Amino acid sequence: MSGKGYCYNNALAESFFHSLKVECIYDYVFSDRAQAKTIIFEYIEVYYNKQRLHSSIGYKTPARFEQLCA
């Protein structure tokens, strides 16, 4: 492990949070915490896992990849 702030220690999480910020959070001005939780939940569960294609798993959605591997 290297020092604090070295993104390569946890590249998968860093990549996910970058996608979340760029594709979801920066597009909204949330009126309250409940709205933020709802929009972020929908982004992850509806779009990121079931519609967004991921190049690292052969341009499949995570939900589809999981079905194929089960």
Side-chain angles (χ1 to χ4, degrees):
M1 296 289 275
S2 62
K4 178 180 175 184
Y6 187 69
C7 65
Y8 298 108
N9 284 341
N10 199 357
L12 294 176
E14 294 290 337
S15 176
F16 168 75
F17 282 114
H18 171 77
S19 297
L20 175 67
K21 289 176 185 177
V22 170
E23 296 175 358
C24 179
I25 293 176
Y26 294 156
D27 291 340
Y28 292 96
V29 175
F30 303 110
S31 60
D32 58 12
R33 185 178 295 239
Q35 181 192 31
K37 286 174 73 172
T38 300
I39 290 173
I40 292 169
F41 177 83
E42 288 175 2
Y43 170 80
I44 294 169
E45 293 299 325
V46 176
Y47 176 70
Y48 191 84
N49 286 336
K50 296 181 180 160
Q51 296 176 4
R52 187 177 186 275
L53 302 178
H54 297 256
S55 61
S56 62
I57 53 176
Y59 292 97
K60 295 174 184 64
T61 65
R64 179 69 178 141
F65 184 77
E66 188 174 318
Q67 287 176 343
L68 294 172
C69 291

